[in-house]
Amino acid sequence: MAKGFELFMSEEPELGKAYGGLVMQVAKSSALDQKTQELAYLAVLSALGMQGGLDFHVASLKKMGATRDEVRSAVLVGLPAVGMTAIESLEAALDAYDRAEG
């Protein structure tokens, strides 16, 4: 888990709880299966250059049965739109995949 997110959750527990409820509602309302939704989220994190959550989300994907190739593809799907920002997350995502149990 990203250190900034951990700090947010410990410093603002009520706000963190509300945020967690939003996250759960988004997942519940999604027409996507859990693995596809997580791959899409990985693509968004990568496109935004937010590497802090990659370890957590890539480990979740590996437990769901995602392959290393699927993780790589999710990271790079935003390449045409955001360019190098997506590539910056590739090493971190693949390293997280290789370290994750699954």
Side-chain angles (χ1 to χ4, degrees):
M1 187 177 300
K3 290 183 184 210
F5 188 74
E6 286 179 10
L7 182 61
F8 165 67
M9 296 299 281
S10 67
E11 291 289 323
E12 292 290 341
E14 289 300 314
L15 191 53
K17 184 177 177 181
Y19 176 78
L22 172 66
V23 170
M24 296 304 290
Q25 188 59 46
V26 168
K28 183 179 174 183
S29 299
S30 179
L32 301 174
D33 64 82
Q34 190 176 8
K35 180 180 160 189
T36 301
Q37 185 165 323
E38 194 73 17
L39 285 165
Y41 195 72
L42 178 61
V44 171
L45 289 176
S46 299
L48 293 173
M50 296 180 67
Q51 295 185 20
L54 291 181
D55 283 355
F56 176 82
H57 291 285
V58 169
S60 294
L61 277 163
K62 192 168 184 180
K63 288 177 185 171
M64 289 179 211
T67 66
R68 195 172 191 273
D69 288 342
E70 288 174 316
V71 167
R72 185 184 66 248
S73 294
V75 169
L76 296 177
V77 74
L79 181 62
V82 299
M84 296 303 287
T85 302
I87 292 172
E88 292 297 322
S89 296
L90 185 59
E91 181 180 13
L94 294 180
D95 286 348
Y97 186 90
D98 293 341
R99 287 190 315 272
E101 295 183 25

